[in-house]
Amino acid sequence: MAGGGLAAADPLPVFPPDQNQLPQLPSEPQLYDALPIPVPDEDPWYDDPADLESYAPGQIIRTRSVQTRLLGIPFPVDTKQLLYRSEDVHGNPIATATSVITPGIPWIGSPRPVVSFQEAIDSTDSSCNPSYTLQVGTMKESLLAQYWLAQGFAINVPDFDGKFNTFNTFDEGKMVLDSLRAMKNEPTLGLTNSGIALYGYSGGGSGSIRAAELRQTYAPDVQLLGTAVGGMPANLVEQARYAIQQQPGLTGISNFTMWLGFAALSREYPDAFNAEELLTEEGQAILDDFRSRCVLTIAPTGMYRPISAYFQPGKSLEASPAVMQVLRDNSLGKHIPDTPIFWWHGIWDELIPTSAVLPTVNDYWNRGADLRFYTMPLPEHVVNAVAGWPPAVAWTSAVLRGLAPGPRFKADIPLPGN
């Protein structure tokens, strides 16, 4: 990489000896600049139309066909990208994209089912969004889609964090639902009357479950057969309390999530997440470095580096009413999904403690959600993603083929003290 002519970022401040001592990593956008496919910020296809506010939610702005690649190798599927109108968390019109992948396997007897696959984008730059990474072959969860494609299902992959890359906010759900409206509105796809299931883990679970919560009020025209999710925080206040502090052992990895959250939320809530007001100069320098990265370099740069060590004297997230209100407003449970839910979570997930999940699960249950929830007795966030994927695929495949979603159950085993 040093020989590739990459521009060096401003050096990060010297870190205390008890913190992450990794050297500063090059950002993914710097690497993508060397590729022949332009990043979204330099691709006019993504540009907003001058009259964006006149478009209805889910209305298509423009379309194109692209080549999907897996690890850089062209993959034999048909991929059409749709730029469509949605809205941000404040209700302002925005444009974002989705990629609809159709396998060459014929589907006979009914409309082809669709899995809306929300990848864990968890990034702060538009070059990390799947509409771009599918083209260059770096979409990190692309292998997980193969089983649905092998069955003949179509896959909808939205940029549900938008061009501005939000994180764990309810506009993620709006962008997922509007991507499905756009998919149904594109006549060449033949998916207008298709059954739809949502899938997502971690950040992808965030977008999926928020779409399920908002469906009835925001997009009642989008019919969902089920939503399979796992590994995402439900209560953002509890998640922030956990992630801002120095944690022992494996749990120290969780520190990166708060840097990511601060960088993303400061774009939609600049008055609340004000770095100049809350963070020291060293903290502001680190945050600036996080403003244009994908999760694969955000995570190693931010792990074992608690943001609480960079608060100005007397400042904290808890002491800021505006910050706490944003976290409460974007926590799950504002609406109870009116369609079937399949949800799992690891009891030893180092990124997301059960204290940020189980109270909301219980609230869903007590309010009558059509819920199937279980805790996974395995360690580590990614391990739980892999272990939970086969049951999620089996369940979504069943409901897409017209089978019943099965009875409600809540098989949670809380970990004491977590």
Side-chain angles (χ1 to χ4, degrees), residues 31 50 58 75 82 85 119-120 150 184 212 248 284 303 355 363 399:
L31 301 175
F75 198 66
L82 317 173
R85 192 261 204 200
E119 185 194 25
K184 291 160 65 71
Q284 293 173 48
M303 63 177 62
S355 61
D363 183 50
V399 298

Side-chain angles (χ1 to χ4, degrees), residues 28 42 55 65 82 86 94 97 109 115 154 185 206 280 282 325-326 347 349 355 367:
E28 293 88 344
E42 300 172 4
Y55 284 72
S65 294
L82 317 173
S86 189
I94 57 172
V115 175
N185 289 338
S206 168
T280 62
E282 291 83 359
Q325 189 61 51
V326 168
I347 59 174
D349 187 319
S355 61
R367 293 166 67 185

Side-chain angles (χ1 to χ4, degrees), residues 225-238:
L225 297 177
T227 299
V229 292
M232 72 283 178
N235 186 313
L236 299 187
V237 173
E238 288 299 317

Side-chain angles (χ1 to χ4, degrees), residues 146-177:
Q146 62 180 323
Y147 187 75
W148 286 298
L149 288 171
Q151 295 184 74
F153 299 163
I155 309 287
N156 177 66
V157 190
D159 292 359
F160 66 90
D161 281 341
K163 290 186 288 188
F164 48 85
N165 288 84
T166 183
F167 184 64
N168 278 332
T169 49
F170 270 97
D171 49 348
E172 292 183 327
K174 294 178 180 180
M175 284 182 265
V176 171
L177 292 166

Side-chain angles (χ1 to χ4, degrees), residues 89-104:
V89 75
H90 306 293
N92 302 310
I94 57 172
T96 191
T98 193
S99 305
V100 184
I101 305 170
T102 307

Side-chain angles (χ1 to χ4, degrees), residues 2-350:
L6 297 178
D10 292 335
L12 294 179
V14 176
F15 299 110
D18 62 343
Q19 289 190 17
N20 182 352
Q21 298 299 308
L22 284 175
Q24 187 174 15
L25 301 172
S27 70
E28 293 88 344
Q30 290 175 310
L31 301 175
Y32 287 141
D33 279 343
L35 300 179
I37 299 173
V39 296
D41 287 348
E42 300 172 4
D43 185 345
W45 186 84
Y46 291 90
D47 290 349
D48 294 0
D51 58 344
L52 178 60
E53 66 280 354
S54 69
Y55 284 72
Q59 185 175 350
I60 296 171
I61 299 167
R62 63 184 68 98
T63 69
R64 66 180 178 185
S65 294
V66 299
Q67 174 68 68
T68 285
R69 293 176 175 84
L70 186 63
L71 300 178
I73 301 172
F75 198 66
V77 290
D78 177 77
T79 304
K80 176 161 283 190
Q81 293 189 333
L82 317 173
L83 191 74
Y84 62 95
R85 192 261 204 200
S86 189
E87 64 181 44
D88 68 13
V89 75
H90 306 293
N92 302 310
I94 57 172
T96 191
T98 193
S99 305
V100 184
I101 305 170
T102 307
I105 301 170
W107 189 273
I108 300 171
S110 68
R112 187 188 297 269
V114 177
V115 175
S116 189
F117 189 112
Q118 283 65 245
E119 185 194 25
I121 301 171
D122 298 350
S123 301
T124 56
D125 192 88
S126 59
S127 66
C128 315
N129 289 337
S131 66
Y132 181 72
T133 58
L134 279 168
Q135 294 184 69
V136 298
T138 57
M139 179 182 164
K140 57 188 179 299
E141 295 183 41
S142 56
L143 285 174
L144 297 181
Q146 62 180 323
Y147 187 75
W148 286 298
L149 288 171
Q151 295 184 74
F153 299 163
I155 309 287
N156 177 66
V157 190
D159 292 359
F160 66 90
D161 281 341
K163 290 186 288 188
F164 48 85
N165 288 84
T166 183
F167 184 64
N168 278 332
T169 49
F170 270 97
D171 49 348
E172 292 183 327
K174 294 178 180 180
M175 284 182 265
V176 171
L177 292 166
D178 285 329
S179 77
L180 295 170
R181 284 170 160 161
M183 178 197 77
K184 291 160 65 71
N185 289 338
E186 175 51 50
T188 64
L189 293 172
L191 302 173
T192 301
N193 299 311
S194 295
I196 300 168
L198 307 180
Y199 169 82
Y201 184 82
S202 193
S206 168
S208 301
I209 196 66
R210 284 174 169 78
E213 281 204 11
L214 290 176
R215 190 212 71 84
Q216 190 173 25
T217 55
Y218 182 77
D221 52 309
V222 176
Q223 300 301 315
L224 301 177
L225 297 177
T227 299
V229 292
M232 72 283 178
N235 186 313
L236 299 187
V237 173
E238 288 299 317
Q239 178 63 32
R241 286 171 177 159
Y242 174 80
I244 65 173
Q245 301 297 332
Q246 189 163 14
Q247 299 286 348
L250 189 66
T251 57
I253 295 174
S254 66
N255 289 151
F256 88 84
T257 63
M258 199 61 238
W259 289 104
L260 169 60
F262 200 117
L265 290 169
S266 66
R267 295 173 175 175
E268 294 202 272
Y269 301 96
D271 293 336
F273 285 83
N274 186 328
E276 292 184 0
E277 180 180 323
L278 292 173
L279 301 180
T280 62
E281 290 186 4
E282 291 83 359
Q284 293 173 48
I286 298 171
L287 191 69
D288 285 341
D289 181 66
F290 275 109
R291 293 189 189 277
S292 185
R293 286 188 178 274
C294 303
V295 68
L296 293 181
T297 60
I298 287 176
T301 305
M303 63 177 62
Y304 300 105
R305 188 165 288 154
I307 198 172
S308 58
Y310 299 90
F311 287 139
Q312 292 187 28
K315 300 289 186 177
S316 69
L317 297 186
E318 295 253 15
S320 171
V323 167
M324 299 307 287
Q325 189 61 51
V326 168
L327 297 177
R328 285 192 293 268
D329 287 347
N330 286 285
S331 293
L332 297 181
K334 298 295 181 294
H335 310 273
I336 296 300
D338 64 336
T339 52
I341 302 295
F342 179 95
W343 185 352
W344 79 97
H345 194 82
I347 59 174
W348 293 297
D349 187 319
E350 80 282 8

